[in-house]
Amino acid sequence: MKRRFVRMALVACVVLVSMIVMPAVAQIGSPYVYRGQVGDHPVDVVLQTLENGGIGGYWFDRVERVSVPLEKSPYRPDRPMLINLLPDKSDGALPFASLALAPMTLGDETVSGRWVDLRTRQERLISLRRFAHLLLDQQGEFDTHIVLPLNDAHFYFEAHVRKTRGEYAGGMYRIVVHDVRDGAVVQNLEVDAPFYWGETVHFTDFNGDGYVDFYLEHAQGRQHYLYMAADGAYRRFAPLDDLARSGTLRYGRRAKEPVLHRPESGVDYGSRMERWDIYRFSGPERIEKVGSLDTEFGTL
Amino acid sequence: MKNMAVVLCMLMAAVPAAADEQVFRGRIGTENIEMVLQSGNALYEGVYMYERHRTPIALNPRIINRFVDYGIDELDEQGLPRARFVFRRPVFSRQVFADRRNGAASGPDVTGKWHDYRDGRAVDFELTLMSYVSHDEIVSDGPMELLQQASTPEHFFRIPIHREGQRIERILVLSKASGEQVQSLILPQPACYGGIRTLRIGEGGTPEVTGRFSNCPRYQLDYDAASGQFSVQTVNAAP
C-alpha cells in the first residue's frame, strides 16, 4: 500500500513539475490565420506559438502587398502582448512597427489592439477575426487560401491548401502568383504537394536573374519552378528535379552563386570526405556542371 | 516514506524556473548607465537607468536563442518600444570575473549600438559585468543592491542581496531627485525573491512586494506624503 502511494505521489509530482516547466518549453504550434483591418488596410496575420514559449508568424498588408515577419516574442496568454514587425529576417534588422495586442489567447475568435509606427508613433486600430486554423494533426480540417511568407519586389504568392478531418497531412493544390504592384493575378499554377506548413514551399533565386524561384517539397522529390522572364511565368525546371532526386542540393544564397550537388555516391565515410559538383546557369533556363569540389564533412 | 515523497514533490514544485541576473555598469555615448538583465529559459528581460536621470526604464522581454546581433527594446511610459539595444560581443557568463583576475579578459564585456526608433539615431554603448546572481551563487565586484524595474514618480528601489537562497529582508528607497538613499525598510518576515520584479506597482500606484507562490509573504509600501516616508504594511503573512 505504502509503495503504491509513493509511486502515485511521484507520478503526481512529475505531472505537477511538468505543468510548471512545460509552458516555458512549449513546442511549435499550428498556425492561426486572422483576417481583418488595420486602420483602413485589410490585412492577413498568421500567428503561431514557437519553441521556448514564444509567438511569431507574419503579417500581410493587402494594400501595400508586402509580407513581413513578426519578431519572435514571449507568448503570454490572456495578457497584453507586444509583437514587433521586422522589415526582413536578417540578423540585426530593426523593427519598424509594433503590434500592441489586447489580452488574447491564440485561437480566440477576435483579436484587437493597436498598430504603432515606431518612428512617427502614429497608431492605427487593429481589428481581426479568426479566419483559419491550419491544424495538421488528424483532427484538423481546412480549405482556404493563404498568402505565403515572402517579401519580394515582384510577386506575392497565395496558396490553396486543404485538409479533411482524419487525414494525416493536408495538401497544397494551387499557387496563385500576384503582381506586387497592383495585386493582379500573373499566373495560376496547379500543384499537388503535401502541405506541411513552412516545409512545403521554399523560395530562392536559383539562376540569379533577380526573380524569386521556388521548389515544392514533394514525396516523389522536389519540384522546381523557375521564373522564365521571356514567358513572364513560372515553369517546372526538370534538371534541378533530377539533381535533387540523385543527391543533396545546395542553392546559391546570393545571385550568381553556383548550385552545389552532392551525388549519393559522393560520400566517403572512411576518409570523412564528400564530393560536391558545381553547377552554374549558363543561361536563365540552362544549367551545366562546371567542376567539382572535395571537402571534409561539414565544411560546406 | 509517505511524507518524504510529498515533501520531495513540494520542494520540486517550489523551485522556480532558473533565472539569473547580470548587473552591468557602462555608458551609452557619454551617459553613464546601470543595467540589469534577467534571463531564464531563453527569456531575457531587464531594466536600465541613466545615472543622471535616475528613473528605471523597463526592457521589453525577448526570447533569445542565438547570440548574434540580437536586440532588446526599452519601453516608454505607455509600454511601447522607444529604442533598441543591439548587443554585439555579449559576455554574460560569470566566468568573466575569473578571466579578469587572471588577465584573460579586459575592457567592456558587452558592446553594441543603441538605436532610437523615433529619430533613427544610433549611439555606441558598452557595459561591464559587475555582479552575477544565480539561484546558487552570487559573484559581485561590490555590494549587491539589485535595481528594481518598478518605481514611483519620486522614488526608485533596490533590494540588498547578501547570500544565496535570496530571501529579501530589506527594501532600499532612493530619491530620483538626488539619487540618495532615503529609507531602508525592514520587512517583518523575509520576502520571496523575484529578481528585478520583486517589487511591483499595484493598484493605485502603491509599491508592493509579492511572490510567485502562495507561501510568500506580501507587503504593501504605503507612502505618507507629509513625512515623505514609506511604511510597510503586511497584506499576507507567511503561513
Side-chain angles (χ1 to χ4, degrees), chain B residues 45-66:
Chain B
E45 52 189 326
V47 57
Y48 88 102
M49 185 171 78
Y50 289 90
E51 204 173 80
R52 197 154 62 99
H53 303 303
R54 295 180 289 272
T55 294
I57 300 168
L59 301 177
N60 193 30
R62 278 291 313 274
I63 292 171
I64 295 165
N65 301 112
R66 296 189 312 137

Side-chain angles (χ1 to χ4, degrees), chain A residues 226-241:
Chain A
L226 206 61
Y227 183 70
M228 309 289 187
D231 302 347
Y234 285 88
R235 304 275 181 243
R236 279 290 291 279
F237 189 66
L240 282 177
D241 294 359

Side-chain angles (χ1 to χ4, degrees), chain A:
Chain A
M1 188 66 183
K2 267 187 184 174
R3 272 189 190 167
R4 193 168 164 209
F5 175 81
V6 170
R7 208 179 305 134
M8 282 173 62
L10 285 174
V11 168
C13 180
V14 168
V15 170
L16 179 58
V17 171
S18 304
M19 285 168 67
I20 292 166
V21 172
M22 277 308 283
V25 290
Q27 294 304 302
I28 295 175
S30 51
Y32 285 89
V33 183
Y34 284 89
R35 255 185 201 173
Q37 296 283 131
V38 172
D40 56 356
H41 285 208
V43 294
D44 286 13
V45 187
V46 176
L47 292 170
Q48 70 183 130
T49 53
L50 304 172
E51 72 280 3
N52 293 116
I55 189 169
Y58 61 95
W59 169 279
F60 181 76
D61 184 316
R62 286 187 178 271
V63 171
E64 294 171 8
R65 289 177 287 279
V66 290
S67 168
V68 295
L70 302 178
E71 192 169 56
K72 184 177 174 181
S73 307
Y75 174 50
R76 297 175 162 182
D78 292 325
R79 289 172 60 185
M81 270 193 289
L82 263 185
I83 307 176
N84 287 331
L85 280 75
L86 297 166
D88 54 57
K89 280 187 171 172
S90 62
D91 287 333
L94 287 178
F96 62 92
S98 197
L99 310 179
L101 300 179
M104 54 113 30
T105 297
L106 202 49
D108 281 354
E109 190 66 30
T110 58
V111 171
S112 61
R114 292 171 295 154
W115 182 99
V116 184
D117 184 307
L118 293 179
R119 190 178 61 80
T120 63
R121 318 307 279 183
Q122 187 190 8
E123 295 189 8
R124 290 189 265 165
L125 287 179
I126 297 172
S127 173
L128 305 172
R129 183 163 288 277
R130 193 180 68 205
F131 176 71
H133 180 202
L134 305 178
L135 179 62
L136 287 174
D137 73 18
Q138 265 189 294
Q139 297 304 310
E141 187 175 26
F142 51 82
D143 184 349
T144 188
H145 287 80
I146 52 166
V147 176
L148 299 176
L150 174 76
N151 189 355
D152 181 59
H154 302 102
F155 307 119
Y156 70 89
F157 298 79
E158 210 161 4
H160 175 213
V161 293
R162 192 172 66 221
K163 181 183 173 303
T164 52
R165 192 181 294 265
E167 279 185 326
Y168 284 98
M172 184 178 285
Y173 299 101
R174 183 181 297 118
I175 295 177
V176 184
V177 185
H178 295 265
D179 191 318
V180 92
R181 289 170 300 185
D182 55 11
V185 174
V186 174
Q187 191 177 4
N188 265 297
L189 280 165
E190 300 300 323
V191 298
D192 184 4
F195 176 58
Y196 292 116
W197 186 231
E199 299 305 314
T200 303
V201 189
H202 298 259
F203 292 99
T204 188
D205 182 0
F206 300 137
N207 56 0
D209 65 353
Y211 286 91
V212 73
D213 309 302
F214 63 91
Y215 67 82
L216 299 177
E217 204 66 78
H218 198 280
Q220 275 78 52
R222 287 183 185 171
Q223 299 176 346
H224 293 78
Y225 288 82
L226 206 61
Y227 183 70
M228 309 289 187
D231 302 347
Y234 285 88
R235 304 275 181 243
R236 279 290 291 279
F237 189 66
L240 282 177
D241 294 359
D242 296 340
L243 286 176
R245 256 195 302 277
S246 62
T248 302
L249 267 187
R250 294 270 177 89
Y251 308 95
R253 268 168 284 181
R254 293 180 204 88
K256 309 298 180 195
E257 271 188 0
V259 175
L260 299 174
H261 175 248
R262 191 192 66 191
E264 278 167 8
S265 59
V267 185
D268 182 345
Y269 291 99
S271 60
R272 296 183 54 77
M273 295 293 286
E274 52 190 1
R275 165 156 294 196
W276 291 89
D277 294 330
I278 304 167
Y279 287 83
R280 282 193 187 279
F281 277 83
S282 50
E285 300 156 27
R286 281 196 311 278
I287 193 165
E288 58 187 4
K289 186 175 164 183
V290 293
S292 291
L293 190 64
D294 290 315
T295 65
E296 273 187 60
F297 280 0
T299 50
L300 267 184

